[in-house]
Amino acid sequence: MKLDKYEEFEVFNPYANLDKTTVLQEARAFNETPINARKCRRILCKISYMLQQGENVGRTEATECFFAVTKLFQSKDGALRRLVYLAIKDLYKLADDVIIVISSLTKDMTGREELYRAPAIRSLCRITDNDMLQAIERYMKQAIVDKSAAVASAALVSSLHLLKQSSEIIRRWANEIQVVVSHDNPMVQYHALVLLCHIRSSDRLALYLSSPKPSLRFAAVRTLNKISTTHPEVVINCNVDLETLTTDQNRSIATLAITTLLKTGGESSVERLMKQISSFVSEISDEFKIVVIEAIQSLCVRYPRKHVLMINFLYKMLRDDGGFQFKRAIVNTIITIIEENTDAKEYGLMHLCEFIEDCENFVLATKVLHLLGKEASSTSNPQHFIRYIYNRVILEEPRIRAAAVTTLAKLGASCPQLRPSIEVLLSRCKLDDNDEVRDRATYYLSALRSEQQNYVAYNLQVSVQGLERCLLSYVHGSDFSKPPSIAVEN
């Protein structure tokens, strides 16, 4: 009978028929001093209920409410603090400038109050992005191996949620995750196993990467290196295991591991990896040095802001001993950086100028001179390059001297303000003991003085092969009454 009477009672919902405007006005109580914890808890419950029911809150309203909620971090009331964490998770997608709460959440996450740490981790990981996650990475690793089961579990589950958007960073925590698989608490063990399973779900080569046999490790990392050139996103899943191979005693394996990480890793890891490989790059063969250079070339387009780091690294390798193929790969890579990144042009050209001051290969020297003739005029101070170019006329063999004369002429054609000085230098070249150098100097000097720059810059739209064929036909012919013609015959 009593049960029947109880069923007749109407269920009461204290949050039914909430008015959004009224609730948001009540939130102004968060700014009061001192903070009334009981009153604020009731208002936070209303806000959370309202948002969970799908109430439409504008961005300005949400931002004002969010900033008001952050004032409640001053309160020491434990129940209120936990409601603050929930409100942050509810509002972060609707409000602007939510990063202002990062420092408060980080402080709670690393503090001594066990009641705050786990929910602070969950809230912090909900609002963080890839860049912010790197800043708190150290704290997350500590939380994963924390003695408190609640803290460790919160860190593991939050990492699982972050795996899709920041997989590369989360995979670096594999060692810590592996440690807590043997945690005393079964809940932590379960969460650690789930996260580890997701990290290694597609690591088909992971078994070989961790093999005790160097031959298997080498085969696996070399395969991944080749795949990363065209499909870097596929190899990202193996980055954790590749990180362990960067310190492998076999330098070939370490080199391939680092170059693979350079192709698949983020911008933040580039400097660390390049510094790591520079410590032993002199010990590896030219074949693997070229692999390093190819990896750096793939970074040029992805991370143009790193051009200073890349060029410095390449120039240091360029000064080391090595064969022609090795040196040519470096020069080509620096040229690629210069051509694809205007900010790197002057810096890269200066390093190439320093290189040709002591270059033993005429092919590379003439290649750099050709680049200077093409690009130097578009730098902020083209005059600075004249000394390096003219030094080649004075100090080098005939083939390089001839190329340097052409480069000087191109610079004079492109930069009218430098033309008088360059004409003086070309006049001196007419006294060279090599016919090719003298002929070029005479030709270019005449073209510059007659204001016919097209004959210097080779802007004529003429097929070189066609021109050669017509001239040979003219020379071997018998009629010299007319000048040679390169007109196309039907």
Side-chain angles (χ1 to χ4, degrees):
M1 189 66 182
K2 290 182 179 179
L3 183 61
D4 293 339
K5 288 184 178 180
Y6 177 78
E7 288 177 345
E8 291 177 1
F9 293 158
E10 184 177 352
V11 177
F12 174 69
N13 181 359
Y15 301 118
N17 303 318
L18 286 176
D19 179 66
K20 180 184 72 173
T21 304
T22 304
V23 173
L24 293 177
Q25 286 179 348
E26 289 179 1
R28 296 175 182 174
F30 300 159
N31 298 312
E32 295 176 357
T33 304
I35 295 173
N36 186 331
R38 184 176 181 180
K39 180 180 178 182
C40 291
R41 287 200 304 268
R42 188 168 60 251
I43 297 171
L44 282 176
C45 288
K46 291 180 181 180
I47 293 173
S48 293
Y49 178 84
M50 186 174 65
L51 293 173
Q52 291 295 330
Q53 295 301 308
E55 183 71 40
N56 185 24
V57 177
R59 185 161 290 276
T60 303
E61 295 172 326
T63 302
E64 291 177 356
C65 183
F66 183 87
F67 274 77
V69 169
T70 60
K71 301 290 182 65
L72 300 179
F73 276 101
Q74 302 173 39
S75 174
K76 301 300 182 182
D77 185 87
L80 177 61
R81 181 67 61 87
R82 300 188 74 174
L83 284 170
V84 167
Y85 298 139
L86 290 175
I88 288 172
K89 290 195 289 185
D90 288 336
L91 289 166
Y92 85 98
K93 284 187 177 180
L94 304 174
D96 294 323
D97 301 323
V98 296
I99 60 172
I100 64 161
V101 80
I102 293 289
S103 59
S104 298
L105 290 175
T106 304
K107 183 179 179 182
D108 285 356
M109 168 187 175
T110 56
R112 296 182 180 180
E113 185 60 59
E114 293 294 329
L115 185 65
Y116 299 162
R117 296 181 63 200
I121 290 171
R122 287 190 286 268
S123 297
L124 184 59
C125 291
R126 180 68 67 88
I127 68 174
T128 193
D129 57 19
N130 198 58
D131 293 332
M132 288 189 287
L133 183 59
Q134 294 182 43
I136 63 170
E137 182 177 4
R138 177 166 58 94
Y139 303 127
M140 287 297 294
K141 286 183 176 180
Q142 293 172 353
I144 288 173
V145 296
D146 197 271
K147 294 180 180 179
S148 169
V151 173
S153 183
L156 290 166
V157 174
S158 298
S159 302
L160 186 61
H161 291 308
L162 290 168
L163 191 59
K164 289 185 178 180
Q165 72 178 52
S166 306
S167 60
E168 181 191 342
I169 298 175
I170 304 299
R171 292 176 195 282
R172 293 206 295 258
W173 307 348
N175 292 337
E176 286 77 12
I177 299 167
Q178 187 69 54
V179 169
V180 294
V181 168
S182 56
H183 198 279
D184 295 337
N185 189 291
M187 176 183 66
V188 177
Q189 292 179 14
Y190 172 73
H191 289 151
L193 285 170
V194 171
L195 181 56
L196 206 58
C197 179
H198 278 80
I199 288 177
R200 298 186 179 274
S201 59
S202 56
D203 297 356
R204 297 183 180 180
L205 288 174
L207 178 62
Y208 297 111
L209 289 174
S210 57
S211 171
K213 296 182 179 180
S215 58
L216 288 178
R217 296 201 306 275
F218 177 81
V221 74
R222 188 169 188 175
T223 302
L224 289 172
N225 188 273
K226 290 181 178 179
I227 296 172
S228 65
T229 303
T230 53
H231 299 89
E233 70 282 353
V234 176
V235 183
I236 288 177
N237 295 333
C238 300
N239 278 6
V240 173
D241 297 284
L242 288 169
E243 284 281 358
T244 62
L245 294 181
T246 59
T247 55
D248 197 283
Q249 293 181 350
N250 187 313
R251 294 305 193 192
S252 300
I253 294 174
T255 302
L256 288 170
I258 292 174
T259 53
T260 304
L261 287 168
L262 284 172
K263 297 174 187 177
T264 62
E267 186 174 3
S268 59
S269 63
V270 171
E271 189 168 355
R272 172 179 60 84
L273 291 170
M274 291 181 71
K275 186 180 296 184
Q276 193 171 350
I277 199 170
S278 63
S279 63
F280 64 83
V281 71
S282 59
E283 302 174 22
I284 60 179
S285 64
D286 282 2
E287 178 187 358
F288 288 102
K289 287 179 181 177
I290 292 174
V291 173
V292 175
I293 295 164
E294 290 173 349
I296 293 173
Q297 187 169 356
S298 70
L299 296 173
C300 298
V301 179
R302 291 170 57 199
Y303 308 123
R305 293 183 299 177
K306 295 289 185 181
H307 69 269
V308 174
L309 175 68
M310 296 179 198
I311 292 175
N312 285 340
F313 180 82
L314 291 169
Y315 180 68
K316 185 178 179 181
M317 292 180 70
L318 198 56
R319 306 302 298 178
D320 294 338
D321 295 333
F324 170 69
Q325 299 295 337
F326 164 59
K327 298 285 180 123
R328 184 176 66 175
I330 298 176
V331 171
N332 288 341
T333 300
I334 295 178
I335 291 174
T336 300
I337 297 174
I338 291 170
E339 291 178 342
E340 295 187 1
N341 185 356
T342 54
D343 293 336
K345 182 179 293 185
E346 195 156 351
Y347 193 72
L349 289 176
M350 285 305 305
H351 279 75
L352 289 178
C353 285
E354 293 290 345
F355 165 64
I356 61 174
E357 286 288 300
D358 189 27
C359 178
E360 299 176 356
N361 189 284
F362 82 92
V363 174
L364 297 179
T366 53
K367 192 178 186 73
V368 172
L369 287 169
H370 173 74
L371 181 70
L372 287 170
K374 178 183 175 183
E375 301 287 353
S377 60
S378 60
T379 61
S380 60
N381 187 16
Q383 185 177 359
H384 189 69
F385 299 97
I386 294 178
R387 174 173 65 88
Y388 295 98
I389 300 169
Y390 190 67
N391 279 350
R392 310 283 66 74
V393 177
I394 302 172
L395 303 172
E396 301 290 355
E397 61 170 285
R399 288 174 293 188
I400 299 177
R401 297 207 302 271
V405 168
T406 301
T407 303
L408 281 173
K410 288 183 177 180
L411 198 58
S414 304
C415 303
Q417 73 276 15
L418 301 179
R419 198 170 299 161
S421 301
I422 289 176
E423 288 179 1
V424 172
L425 298 177
L426 290 176
S427 298
R428 295 177 185 175
C429 296
K430 292 169 65 176
L431 304 176
D432 196 276
D433 57 4
N434 180 266
D435 294 343
E436 176 73 16
V437 177
R438 291 198 306 272
D439 290 347
R440 289 196 186 197
T442 303
Y443 169 77
Y444 290 129
L445 190 59
S446 175
L448 289 175
R449 287 175 175 173
S450 60
E451 298 292 331
Q452 294 180 339
Q453 282 75 34
N454 284 341
Y455 291 99
V456 177
Y458 300 120
N459 291 328
L460 296 176
Q461 301 299 318
V462 177
S463 167
V464 176
Q465 292 81 5
L467 177 61
E468 181 184 16
R469 186 168 56 253
C470 291
L471 291 175
L472 285 173
S473 176
Y474 181 79
V475 170
H476 293 118
S478 57
D479 183 10
F480 299 104
S481 60
K482 297 179 180 179
S485 174
I486 57 174
V488 178
E489 298 181 2
N490 295 325

